[in-house]
């Protein structure tokens, strides 16, 4: 939606088609072997942190399609407060997602990385990191270009 506060920005995908295709390929590669439920939790949480309305809308829709409950989606921003709702593996992935997305101290804390490494083998951990990197790139494109979801 274009408003005086949020003017229409460049159509990034039209004017940078090679980057768009590379992003599609990166996203597909990053999702390879990642459980679809875990993937949607991760990309939704990163999108929430980055305030990316376009991606939040898309990924909450996708999350429902892979069977994530409304309660789990509603409580995702407070996942640490409801340990019974999220598995240890999901909690480790969400902690890593938040650390990689925010990077407030310029690095991922060792305890967060080690927690994730305890729940994922090296290949799974590498894929998870790739997925987190991919969604953060998508979020930055969408937020910068002011992509907003369709109002239904």
């Amino acid at each position: 939606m274009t408003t005086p506060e949020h003017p229409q920005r460049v159509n990034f995908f039209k004017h940078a088609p090679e980057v768009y295709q590379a992003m599609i390929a990166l996203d597909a590669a990053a999702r390879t072997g990642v459980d679809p439920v875990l993937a949607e939790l991760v990309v939704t949480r990163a999108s929430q942190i980055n305030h990316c309305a376009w991606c939040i809308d898309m990924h909450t829709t996708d999350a429902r399609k892979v069977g994530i409950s409304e309660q789990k989606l509603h409580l995702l921003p407070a996942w640490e407060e409801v340990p019974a709702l999220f598995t240890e593996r999901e909690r480790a992935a969400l902690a890593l997602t938040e650390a990689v997305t925010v990077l407030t101290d310029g690095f991922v804390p060792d305890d967060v990385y080690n927690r994730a490494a305890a729940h994922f083998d090296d290949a799974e951990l590498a894929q998870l990191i790739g997925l987190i990197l991919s969604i953060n790139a998508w979020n930055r494109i969408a937020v910068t270009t002011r992509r907003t979801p369709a109002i239904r």
Side-chain angles (χ1 to χ4, degrees), residues 36-151:
V37 169
L38 184 69
E40 292 308 325
L41 289 172
V42 164
V43 297
T44 301
R45 183 65 190 122
S47 299
Q48 291 169 336
I49 294 166
N50 288 323
H51 301 271
C52 183
W54 174 268
C55 294
I56 293 168
D57 184 61
M58 176 175 38
H59 292 298
T60 54
T61 299
D62 292 347
R64 289 178 186 96
K65 289 177 185 174
V66 298
I68 298 174
S69 71
E70 290 298 318
Q71 183 181 33
K72 204 166 197 174
L73 283 174
H74 290 300
L75 292 172
L76 185 56
W79 64 268
E80 290 176 298
E81 303 301 318
V82 282
L85 189 57
F86 295 88
T87 68
E88 280 300 315
R89 189 172 164 92
E90 290 169 345
R91 293 165 56 76
L94 291 168
L96 184 64
T97 299
E98 291 184 0
V100 172
T101 299
V102 178
L103 286 179
T104 55
D105 295 323
F107 59 90
V108 173
D110 289 340
D111 63 322
V112 172
Y113 183 89
N114 292 336
R115 179 180 180 188
H119 291 279
F120 299 92
D121 65 30
D122 288 351
E124 292 172 320
L125 186 56
Q127 288 300 129
L128 180 58
I129 292 167
L131 181 62
I132 296 166
L133 297 175
S134 175
I135 191 58
N136 274 281
W138 282 120
N139 290 162
R140 281 151 177 77
I141 292 167
V143 169
T144 302
T145 59
R146 300 286 198 256
R147 286 189 62 101
T148 57
I151 304 303

Side-chain angles (χ1 to χ4, degrees), residues 5-19:
E5 300 84 30
H6 297 288
Q8 178 64 42
R9 301 277 173 103
V10 65
N11 182 331
F12 185 86
F13 304 119
K14 176 182 175 185
H15 296 290
E18 295 85 4
V19 177

